[in-house]
Amino acid sequence: MAHAVPTRGTSTGARTGAGTGAAGASGHTPPDVFGARTHLLAKWAMPLAIGLVYGYWAASIRRHGGPITGWNLLFGFMTVLAFAILWYVVRAVADRLPREGHAVLWGAFAGSALGFLYSGSGVAMFTCILVSLLLAAAVTAGLYYHYATHQDAEEARTARTRNPARTGTT
């Protein structure tokens, strides 16, 4: 069985003080494997990496199997730039919204991104809009469920740590 590494400054790894993070009923917080610098790098590199894939995909759809041209490369890189900037803006705005708005904003972003790619393939506009709305609704519903269940569980853990005598269901 694997055990967590003791926390710096203690011999047993026991936590000092009451943490409110991801602590369970035992009060044990799981260790963070990556440091703050790694999380910051991933926060900024992930949209760029996904944007590169998205830009390549958009450029390949636009050329319809033809030769790669300078204009096609420019279109791909401009798509990467637009996608990454929109991702950063959506992330910054969504962090300030309640969970409903957060889910709707990310759903709209996902639906719009798919709609842009799908419209470049030459399908009927009605089909493009329908598929984009279906994806936006699915992403919104999934994220709302995720945020609602995780925030409710975190609020319950916080309530348990504040009042340990109260256990069980309410």
Side-chain angles (χ1 to χ4, degrees), residues 4-5 9 11 16-17 25 45 47-48 57 84 92 94 99 112 115 118 122 135 139 147 151 155 166-167:
V5 177
S11 60
T16 56
L48 186 60
W57 194 357
R99 62 183 169 207
S112 299
Y118 201 41
L135 178 73
V139 169
Y147 296 139
Q151 285 179 353
E155 290 167 1
R166 227 179 136 188
T167 57

Side-chain angles (χ1 to χ4, degrees), residues 96-158:
R96 295 178 175 91
L97 295 175
R99 62 183 169 207
E100 296 86 5
H102 195 139
V104 167
L105 189 58
W106 279 110
F109 177 72
S112 299
L114 176 69
F116 177 73
L117 286 179
Y118 201 41
S119 68
S121 65
V123 298
M125 192 54 63
F126 177 76
T127 307
C128 176
I129 292 170
L130 180 66
V131 169
S132 297
L133 287 175
L134 287 174
L135 178 73
V139 169
T140 299
L143 286 177
Y144 178 75
Y145 175 78
H146 173 77
Y147 296 139
T149 56
H150 282 73
Q151 285 179 353
D152 291 346
E154 188 174 319
E155 290 167 1
R157 278 193 297 270
T158 303

Side-chain angles (χ1 to χ4, degrees), residues 1-2 19 29 42 47 49 54 56 58-59 63 74-75 79 85 93 101 109 114-115 126 134 138 144-145 152 169:
M1 180 150 72
T29 304
Y54 185 82
Y56 172 74
R63 66 185 169 94
L74 179 65
F75 175 76
T79 304
I85 288 173
V93 171
F109 177 72
L114 176 69
F126 177 76
L134 287 174
Y144 178 75
Y145 175 78
D152 291 346
T169 60

Side-chain angles (χ1 to χ4, degrees), residues 7 16 19 25 30 32 38 46 58 77 89 91 110 118 132 135 153:
T7 311
T16 56
D32 189 7
T38 306
M46 189 175 69
F77 284 117
V89 168
R91 186 178 60 203
Y118 201 41
S132 297
L135 178 73

